[in-house]
Amino acid sequence: MKSVIIVRYCEIHLKGKNKKFFEKLLINAIQKSLSDIPHKLAVMNARYLIEDFNENDYDTICERLSKIFGVHSYSPAKVVKSDFDEIAKCCLELVDGKTGTFKVNTNRADKKFPLPSPQMSRELGGVLLEKYHENIKVDVINPSFSVNVDIRESGETLIYTDVIKGFGGLPVGSSGKGLLLLSGGIDSPVAGFMLAKRGMKLEALHFHSYPYTSEQALDKVKTLAKLISYFTGGLKLHIVKFTHIQEQIHEHCPEELMITLMRRFMMRIAERISVKNGCQAIVTGESLGQVASQTVESITSSNSVVTQPVFRPLIGFDKLEIIEISQKIDTFETSILPYEDCCTVFLPKFPAIKPKMETILRAESALDVEALVESALQDVEIFEV
Ligand code: ATP
Ligand code: MG
């Protein structure tokens, strides 16, 4: 009896003529993610089979699979010769210790196998009941677990009971590349996750206000980038020093517009870096109305300085919903570490909540915008995560 893992994909089924492209990306993602673990990857129709791995690597393989977008679900399974007694023995082993209601599903691709599927299911059900009748009962409508028996043309049969759900989505790289504005907070890592889930490859950009913000604040962002990279298969993190721009705004512009003007500079710099690195969109963790800089007026103001699309996947999410996702993707604990972000530096007491465009433009005319943007771009640090 051999252990294998069955991997299923979902939305790719919808892709018609493009299916091959999506399948190739998904296979590449699985191979890359498991590259340091000895195994074999076989293609079955619309599924993959991971085999010949060391039992000790099983948990690691599952953990990695659960982070690959495009994987709809996976199942630990056993492979036996297509022979009734062997199949029955394996079913008994898989059901040992289980309680509740069950049903057997047989799928007979190998028409040479003597028993038709319904009969095979009934007979296997009988074998299981005979041994475990004190713990399990048949319920073919709404069972608490299923015993799945897949009799393949190869002369082998796959048997499994558990189906573990992945995140679904599309393989990373199938939806272009975006530049994620990554702060140290809770929201932006979740925003990155959401777009990677839709197949977007990501690079990340962080604005740092050294010496007002600390080395630890920067380390925190690098850790977040690392956590996101498990989903994206690597990540390039650009770090821009923002201090000089903040000081200039602080010195020359009205205090209540500090955040509004900062956001506009961030967007301008982001778009330049995005274009230079072949990204097609900017991604932020904004959520409508969450803070003064995320009102429709503030978003209009920061949006108006760029032409690339700005994706804000969290725009309609409540904070609690965002926190729930950040816990699921393991970024929450890092995000709540108490190191200050560049946006808290020079924070005005009363930030403009509905800034008017003409007021913004008048305030901004006190600055040499182009020169400030250019000088920030002169000194970008890059980390390959
Ligand atoms: P987050 O939890 O993502 O920090 P937030 O609720 O603190 O978001 P803001 O500080 O208004 O909200 O930031 C809104 C968005 O702007 C962030 O989600 C992020 O995409 C971007 N952003 C904010 N600060 C930075 C920064 N220092 N570097 C890069 N991007 C940033
Ligand atoms: Mg923040």
Side-chain angles (χ1 to χ4, degrees):
M1 202 182 311
K2 198 170 80 171
S3 291
V4 298
I5 301 172
I6 304 168
V7 183
R8 303 176 196 84
Y9 52 72
C10 47
E11 213 169 301
I12 297 177
H13 289 306
L14 305 175
K15 292 295 171 197
K17 286 202 177 113
N18 275 334
K19 198 167 148 185
K20 283 264 167 307
F21 166 70
F22 287 88
E23 284 178 333
K24 195 163 178 329
L25 284 171
L26 183 55
I27 278 235
N28 287 347
I30 297 173
Q31 278 169 338
K32 187 169 174 197
S33 154
L34 302 182
S35 60
D36 56 334
I37 301 176
H39 71 284
K40 234 174 72 191
L41 184 66
V43 182
M44 299 194 294
N45 55 338
R47 293 179 298 178
Y48 304 119
L49 208 58
I50 299 175
E51 34 188 12
D52 296 344
F53 53 84
N54 188 321
E55 281 294 332
N56 295 335
D57 288 330
Y58 172 76
D59 287 342
T60 315
I61 295 176
C62 290
E63 155 96 34
R64 304 253 181 104
L65 285 176
S66 71
K67 295 204 160 111
I68 299 174
F69 295 125
V71 171
H72 173 251
S73 65
Y74 55 92
S75 294
K78 299 286 179 197
V79 181
V80 297
K81 214 170 84 204
S82 295
D83 163 86
F84 184 86
D85 291 340
E86 294 233 5
I87 295 171
K89 189 173 143 217
C90 177
C91 290
L92 284 167
E93 219 167 271
L94 282 181
V95 173
D96 190 13
K98 286 197 184 291
T99 54
T101 56
F102 80 103
K103 95 188 237 203
V104 180
N105 292 317
T106 305
N107 175 28
R108 185 180 61 132
D110 178 5
K111 300 300 176 205
K112 289 199 295 294
F113 188 79
L115 298 182
S117 304
Q119 190 184 343
M120 183 68 178
S121 295
R122 271 198 308 278
E123 300 217 359
L124 287 172
V127 170
L128 290 168
L129 279 177
E130 192 177 43
K131 178 145 187 204
Y132 300 125
H133 56 90
E134 282 174 12
N135 301 328
I136 59 173
K137 220 167 66 185
V138 173
D139 179 351
V140 292
I141 309 288
N142 194 17
S144 48
F145 68 93
S146 297
V147 180
N148 300 285
V149 177
D150 195 350
I151 304 170
R152 300 175 63 200
E153 280 172 328
S154 64
E156 288 185 321
T157 295
L158 279 169
I159 306 167
Y160 61 93
T161 54
D162 300 337
V163 177
I164 304 158
K165 272 189 81 118
F167 281 115
L170 295 171
V172 169
S174 61
S175 300
K177 189 160 77 163
L179 181 66
L180 169 67
L181 295 198
L182 182 62
S183 70
I186 294 169
D187 305 330
S188 43
V190 174
F193 164 83
M194 302 276 286
L195 279 162
K197 178 163 170 285
R198 293 307 303 160
M200 188 160 246
K201 179 118 190 91
L202 294 176
E203 297 197 7
L205 164 60
H206 177 69
F207 294 95
H208 183 54
S209 309
Y210 190 79
Y212 300 103
T213 56
S214 62
E215 257 329 291
Q216 287 141 309
L218 194 54
D219 286 343
K220 174 179 166 181
V221 172
K222 289 180 190 165
T223 305
L224 287 172
K226 177 104 197 139
L227 291 170
I228 299 169
S229 79
Y230 295 141
F231 292 101
T232 54
L235 190 81
K236 194 162 149 189
L237 171 64
H238 305 259
I239 294 178
V240 167
K241 298 191 181 68
F242 205 48
T243 318
H244 180 59
I245 290 178
Q246 287 176 300
E247 286 169 343
Q248 288 296 303
I249 301 172
H250 182 65
E251 206 167 297
H252 301 288
C253 305
E255 188 193 349
E256 70 274 12
L257 287 179
M258 182 78 207
I259 303 272
T260 310
L261 297 175
M262 261 169 56
R263 288 260 169 261
R264 286 163 65 86
F265 274 100
M266 281 187 178
M267 287 305 232
R268 290 183 179 106
I269 294 168
E271 186 167 48
R272 305 272 179 105
I273 291 178
S274 176
V275 168
K276 189 169 162 214
N277 289 276
C279 300
Q280 300 144 292
I282 296 165
V283 182
T284 78
E286 287 159 309
S287 149
L288 190 63
Q290 195 188 76
V291 287
S293 60
Q294 296 175 26
T295 60
V296 66
E297 290 82 359
S298 301
I299 289 176
T300 305
S301 139
S302 58
N303 218 71
S304 69
V305 297
V306 293
T307 53
Q308 275 200 337
V310 182
F311 290 161
R312 302 177 176 87
L314 308 183
I315 198 75
F317 279 47
D318 293 349
K319 194 75 188 186
L320 284 178
E321 293 172 306
I322 300 171
I323 288 176
E324 216 172 277
I325 303 176
S326 77
Q327 284 167 334
K328 243 190 331 207
I329 64 171
D330 285 339
T331 53
F332 182 72
E333 294 300 327
T334 306
S335 289
I336 58 173
L337 293 174
Y339 307 121
E340 71 292 10
D341 182 49
C342 80
C343 296
T344 51
V345 179
F346 306 118
L347 197 67
K349 260 207 199 79
F350 301 104
I353 294 171
K354 299 182 175 190
K356 284 215 173 60
M357 197 53 92
E358 56 183 77
T359 321
I360 297 169
L361 294 176
R362 203 179 320 124
E364 214 170 53
S365 69
L367 305 170
D368 187 342
V369 173
E370 183 54 31
L372 286 171
V373 168
E374 264 313 312
S375 77
L377 288 167
Q378 291 314 310
D379 189 15
V380 185
E381 260 185 284
I382 293 176
F383 289 88
E384 289 286 351
V385 185

